[in-house]
Amino acid sequence: MECREILEVLNRLADVSWACEWDNVGLLAGRRDKEVHRVTVALDADDRAVKEALQNGSDLLVTHHPLLFAPVKRITDESAAGRRLLTILRHDLCVISMHTNFDAAPGGMADLAADRLGLLRRSVLSVTGRREDAEYGIGVIGEAPAGDMRLEQLCARVKEAFGLDTVQLYAPEGAGPVRRIALCPGSGKDEIGPALTAGAQVLVTGDITYHYAQDAVEEGLAVIDAGHYGLEHIFIPFIKAYLKKQLPALSVDTVQIRQPARFL
């Protein structure tokens, strides 16, 4: 089948129009009429993913994070990004990226993460649009599955649900049990305000820097930082399963899930 047909299938799950204005999603490299027999799925369009896709004999690489964010002024072998793009173009490898359109999609990243945590009575944290009768947007707000939870219990649940060894907890002094939980996979520092507005007692996210965490704590909001990759690697097995269900004849491989950081 042609690359454009696979793009249409992926758009039914998370249409490119649902992405944030600043984002860059969809077919970012390659030809729409490229014949595709094999796909590799990865979180990032990095050197490892490109190498594995080519080793697998893939015609298409599907990623969550975009291959390109900012405009490219030159493509040469003088930079890692340039060498990666040259490799992709030389081998006629197509790249489709599904970033904030997948984050915002009903049943997408936030809902998948919430399912793993078992959050109840969920709604969208930051609404960015409406599809038919359903709102979509970034993150979710919901309730703990078994009533009030100690923050240490929630940390343990996050680690178990996402296969993590560690998380970082920032908590107000004397913080008690929590029930109302905001969740934003990826980088969630911009969701501190919406989490507070929604009445959350804790925000589970990644990429919280020191000062943002301190500000949240001073507002009475605890933060569990499970890492950007730590919460979003769930994209990989989900997209593989989705493609296999929608296109049974398509061969689909995945880049091995591997945390990019080690804590020594």
Side-chain angles (χ1 to χ4, degrees), residues 26-241:
L27 180 62
L28 302 186
R31 299 179 287 109
R32 288 180 178 269
D33 63 353
K34 164 81 174 180
E35 193 69 24
V36 175
H37 302 281
R38 197 173 199 96
V39 175
T40 293
V41 181
L43 192 70
D44 300 287
D46 55 12
D47 288 347
R48 182 166 72 101
V50 171
K51 181 179 179 180
E52 290 193 25
L54 295 177
Q55 288 176 338
N56 294 337
S58 291
D59 311 289
L60 168 64
L61 174 63
V62 176
T63 70
H64 179 51
H65 296 134
L67 170 67
L68 300 167
F69 261 126
V72 176
K73 294 185 177 180
R74 81 172 45 95
I75 302 174
T76 72
D77 63 355
E78 296 174 335
S79 69
R83 290 190 293 273
R84 185 183 312 125
L85 289 169
L86 286 171
T87 298
I88 288 169
L89 296 174
R90 182 167 62 250
H91 291 277
D92 195 19
L93 178 67
C94 294
V95 180
I96 293 174
S97 298
M98 306 168 66
H99 193 212
T100 53
N101 55 323
F102 183 74
D103 288 338
M109 187 72 83
D111 282 329
L112 292 176
D115 288 343
R116 290 202 176 202
L117 290 182
L119 298 189
L120 305 175
R121 291 174 281 281
R122 302 187 320 231
S123 59
V124 178
L125 181 60
S126 293
V127 176
T128 57
R130 177 178 290 274
R131 173 178 175 262
E132 298 174 350
D133 293 330
E135 294 177 328
Y136 63 83
I138 304 300
V140 298
I141 179 81
E143 295 185 3
D148 292 350
M149 296 181 69
R150 290 184 295 106
L151 283 169
E152 292 78 9
Q153 288 178 303
L154 182 56
C155 287
R157 191 178 187 92
V158 170
K159 289 194 292 183
E160 180 181 4
F162 294 92
L164 306 175
D165 293 327
T166 62
V167 297
Q168 284 186 298
L169 171 63
Y170 301 90
E173 189 173 347
V178 297
R179 175 174 295 188
R180 195 151 174 79
I181 300 168
L183 171 63
C184 179
S187 179
K189 61 182 183 295
D190 292 335
E191 299 308 312
I192 291 173
L196 287 165
T197 299
Q201 297 158 295
V202 58
L203 170 64
V204 181
T205 188
D207 284 354
I208 288 290
T209 61
Y210 173 78
H211 291 292
Y212 279 94
Q214 291 295 89
D215 289 345
V217 167
E218 290 181 0
E219 293 287 349
L221 179 69
V223 178
I224 297 174
D225 188 333
H228 198 126
Y229 189 97
L231 294 177
E232 288 195 329
H233 63 75
I234 58 178
F235 171 87
I236 298 172
F238 177 82
I239 292 298
K240 177 180 180 178

